Amino acid sequence: MRQVHSYFLQVILTFSLCSSLPAQRSDREKTSPVVGTRLTQACEFGKQLVGEESLLVVPENRKQADSRKISVHYFRFPARLPSGKAPVFYLPGGPGDAINSSDIRNGLRRKNYSKYTELLAFNKYHDVIIVNQRGNRKAPGLQGLPRAWVVQPGARLKPLVYEEKGKRVAEGLQTAIQECARLQFDLKGYDILHLIDDVEQIRRVHGYSTICLRGSSFGSQWALGYLQRYPERVDRMVLSGVEPLSHTYDSPTAIWKVFERIEAEVKESGTIELPPEGLLGALKAVLTRLEKQPVRVTGQHPRRGGSTEIVIGADDVRFYLTRPILDAPLYSRRMRELWPHLVLELYREDYQYLAAKIIDDRPELSHPDLLLALVDHSLGISDQRLKELEQGPARRWLGDVNWFYTATRKSTPTPEVSDAFRELKTSQTPVLMIHGTLDLMTPYENATQLLPAFPRGKLITVQGGTHIACQHAAVVDPQFLRYLTDFMNAAQPADTLKEIPETITLPPLKFQPLQSGSLFQELTQ
């Protein structure tokens, strides 16, 4: 790839100094870059993607007339075979994810399906634009936000309690907000509406009449927000790991349904002998036991060795139920395959694996993403949905799965959108959704609840898929990428939906028999 990052760096440094140093308003107006200024350098990734990398100067807070200037970073790759079709805007997730040059270069080297093979396929007939979120430290730009804040660890001999952890998280966030104020950040400009209007400004700069949107996870929420604000500008959308605008806070009931599906597969497989009360009955027994009396365990550090005492409570179990197990990533199917083993070890009062995880994690400082907190709290939650989540039956067992938001929602200065903005409205925009039934990050019910709002939409259910359901689907169905490109390329996209399957079924999960050894043994091997 051709790179001129020294040019970008010089301009960024110059503009950053001009827009951040204390000055009278008239002085800032003379030295700050003009809104709409576009700094561009050519970029090419072999002959696969050829285009430009840009910084677009925007107000930090569009509601303040004298707001200082920041920039939005994006890539633009003109279609290899220009066709007049609407461009595809790719919106990264998170909030806080970004795509930089190294990501694209490395992604295109992979032979397996990925978002980069998608973008390459779309780019045959469509301009492709990748938009990074303002303030993102992972991408070039003016005035990058501090990436995270510091949260102090809990005491070793006290069990995790969500409410107490939330207080430490909120204290760390307040310190970070004060530091941002010292650095003259206007944090009110880092909300969902500013992200939406950044996309709109890029659309206007390049003169596109309509655009297609591709988003996964928070990227889908960003796309739905753009549709809500500029419905006449959206040609069609492809969404995966779907998050409706009203679903920033997760549903304990929908997460519990993932566990129910895992339990059903365990029973079907016959691989693991379950207690009379079943897998989830065993989990309930563990949580009830630890609510009555936390346990004090002598555990071993998994990396450094040595033993130490640790106290384990019910919220410790809840916390690790949705965290990676062993070396299995959160998005992997293997984590789901190991999940019954974790529950049944705890049921048998074998706490060695969980103790090792806590001993490894609890003394460490944590660093939550600042941009995530700012943007997610701008989406917020309606009183009605908050009441529904609190009254759902799974709340009894999973506790406050949204404890992070509960603790920090009153701390962030980003303005919260209205209930009317979050409200699900019927749209004739063609949309193709892909969602996995074992997704713990954005539960499957998100998509099924959203689908009725799109009469010209379709949901591909990936049975057994996780938060990366598209990658799973592409492994078992070689035509999967063609479904997406046919939908994007068709003159009448709704017509192509008839040819796309409603369900892609993955092979059954392969559960590990308990006799094969403990999780702690595997962790320390």
Side-chain angles (χ1 to χ4, degrees):
M1 170 191 152
R2 242 184 1 248
Q3 299 188 39
V4 200
H5 288 302
S6 58
Y7 163 73
F8 257 11
L9 181 60
Q10 290 172 6
V11 176
I12 288 170
L13 287 173
T14 302
F15 279 5
S16 295
L17 287 170
C18 289
S19 57
S20 63
L21 290 174
Q24 296 297 320
R25 177 177 174 180
S26 58
D27 293 335
R28 288 203 306 269
E29 288 173 346
K30 292 176 182 177
T31 58
S32 295
V34 176
V35 168
T37 300
R38 190 162 65 96
L39 315 171
T40 299
Q41 62 185 23
C43 68
E44 58 183 56
F45 301 86
K47 294 184 179 179
Q48 293 175 290
L49 290 174
V50 179
E52 59 193 21
E53 183 178 6
S54 297
L55 297 177
L56 179 64
V57 177
V58 297
E60 186 172 40
N61 184 346
R62 289 185 170 92
K63 293 185 178 180
Q64 293 291 335
D66 62 345
S67 175
R68 72 173 178 178
K69 310 305 184 294
I70 61 172
S71 66
V72 176
H73 174 259
Y74 68 99
F75 294 92
R76 177 175 174 267
F77 303 105
R80 298 191 300 277
L81 297 176
S83 63
K85 298 180 185 298
V88 176
F89 275 58
Y90 182 86
L91 307 180
D97 291 348
I99 293 177
N100 57 36
S101 298
S102 296
D103 295 327
I104 297 174
R105 184 168 54 253
N106 294 333
L108 291 174
R109 287 173 181 164
R110 300 176 194 142
K111 295 181 179 180
N112 296 333
Y113 171 93
S114 70
K115 58 191 170 190
Y116 302 102
T117 56
E118 256 189 41
L119 296 176
L120 189 60
F122 294 152
N123 189 229
K124 183 174 182 180
Y125 298 117
H126 303 259
D127 291 3
V128 167
I129 295 89
I130 302 170
V131 183
N132 284 318
Q133 298 149 25
R134 56 168 49 210
N136 199 313
R137 282 282 183 182
K138 301 175 188 177
L142 313 184
Q143 305 298 350
L145 280 173
R147 186 168 172 181
W149 74 91
V150 176
V151 178
Q152 297 299 320
R156 180 171 57 84
L157 292 177
K158 287 186 178 180
L160 170 66
V161 176
Y162 281 157
E163 186 175 357
E164 293 178 3
K165 185 177 179 67
K167 290 178 182 177
R168 296 195 302 274
V169 170
E171 289 171 1
L173 177 57
Q174 287 289 354
T175 300
I177 289 172
Q178 292 169 8
E179 177 63 10
C180 286
R182 186 187 71 80
L183 296 172
Q184 300 187 358
F185 283 99
D186 186 345
L187 295 185
K188 292 181 180 179
Y190 298 86
D191 65 344
I192 185 63
L193 297 183
H194 274 84
L195 295 185
I196 291 167
D197 285 344
D198 289 342
V199 173
E200 173 63 4
Q201 189 164 347
I202 293 171
R203 180 199 67 78
R204 292 199 305 265
V205 162
H206 292 284
Y208 297 124
S209 57
T210 59
I211 62 177
C212 307
L213 295 170
R214 173 65 174 109
S216 182
S217 194
F218 169 71
S220 70
Q221 206 170 32
W222 190 359
L224 289 165
Y226 184 89
L227 176 69
Q228 191 84 313
R229 199 160 171 86
Y230 301 104
E232 73 286 354
R233 297 299 183 189
V234 182
D235 182 85
R236 66 197 75 185
M237 302 190 297
V238 175
L239 309 176
S240 57
V242 182
E243 282 194 274
L245 289 168
S246 59
H247 283 45
T248 299
Y249 286 53
D250 287 328
S251 163
T253 299
I255 293 173
W256 191 260
K257 286 182 182 296
V258 174
F259 299 152
E260 289 178 340
R261 294 178 188 119
I262 294 174
E263 179 180 46
E265 282 210 46
V266 171
K267 291 178 178 178
E268 180 70 21
S269 73
T271 307
I272 299 176
E273 183 180 351
L274 297 177
E277 58 265 64
L279 183 62
L280 296 187
L283 176 57
K284 291 177 181 179
V286 171
L287 292 168
T288 301
R289 183 198 311 154
L290 293 176
E291 285 172 343
K292 291 179 180 178
Q293 182 62 57
V295 296
R296 188 165 179 152
V297 177
T298 298
Q300 288 185 293
H301 195 289
R303 292 181 289 112
R304 295 196 295 266
S307 61
T308 188
E309 287 192 323
I310 195 79
V311 175
I312 299 175
D315 280 350
D316 283 298
V317 172
R318 294 181 176 114
F319 183 80
Y320 285 96
L321 285 175
T322 55
R323 295 299 187 281
I325 300 173
L326 296 179
D327 59 348
L330 179 59
Y331 299 163
S332 70
R333 279 167 46 86
R334 184 167 180 262
M335 179 190 157
R336 280 68 175 163
E337 293 169 343
L338 292 168
W339 194 83
H341 203 143
L342 171 64
V343 172
L344 293 176
E345 281 193 353
L346 296 173
Y347 177 70
R348 297 176 182 185
E349 299 187 59
D350 178 356
Y351 297 104
Q352 286 305 301
Y353 170 77
L354 184 57
K357 296 288 286 185
I358 294 171
I359 289 168
D360 197 23
D361 293 346
R362 191 175 288 173
E364 303 295 333
L365 299 173
S366 57
H367 300 85
D369 191 290
L370 180 58
L371 188 59
L372 180 147
L374 294 172
V375 175
D376 276 356
H377 279 310
S378 73
L379 281 157
I381 188 171
S382 67
D383 291 341
Q384 179 181 348
R385 178 162 167 81
L386 183 59
K387 185 176 180 181
E388 290 172 357
L389 298 187
E390 290 175 343
Q391 295 180 348
R395 170 70 182 257
R396 160 68 185 87
W397 303 111
L398 295 182
D400 184 4
V401 300
N402 300 295
W403 63 269
F404 175 87
Y405 294 137
T406 302
T408 57
R409 67 178 302 193
K410 294 181 180 179
S411 298
T412 52
T414 42
E416 186 174 328
V417 299
S418 65
D419 286 351
F421 183 82
R422 286 186 290 252
E423 183 184 350
L424 195 59
K425 299 180 179 68
T426 301
S427 171
Q428 295 302 317
T429 302
V431 59
L432 176 61
M433 291 186 278
I434 308 98
H435 214 117
T437 57
L438 300 184
D439 189 341
L440 286 168
M441 300 293 293
T442 54
Y444 174 66
E445 284 66 28
N446 285 9
T448 59
Q449 291 169 17
L450 183 64
L451 185 61
F454 291 93
R456 302 176 69 199
K458 186 162 191 170
L459 168 63
I460 301 177
T461 296
V462 183
Q463 291 285 356
T466 73
H467 198 54
I468 53 172
C470 291
Q471 285 89 322
H472 296 316
V475 170
V476 299
D477 188 342
Q479 301 300 312
F480 178 74
L481 181 56
R482 185 177 62 81
Y483 303 149
L484 275 57
T485 54
D486 284 354
F487 175 76
M488 279 293 191
N489 294 338
Q492 298 296 327
D495 292 344
T496 66
L497 296 178
K498 302 172 186 176
E499 309 300 322
I500 296 175
E502 293 185 356
T503 304
I504 296 176
T505 302
L506 305 183
L509 294 173
K510 297 178 181 179
F511 297 105
Q512 180 175 316
L514 298 185
Q515 297 85 345
S516 63
S518 71
L519 293 175
F520 175 73
Q521 289 173 336
E522 291 195 42
L523 181 67
T524 54
Q525 282 178 354

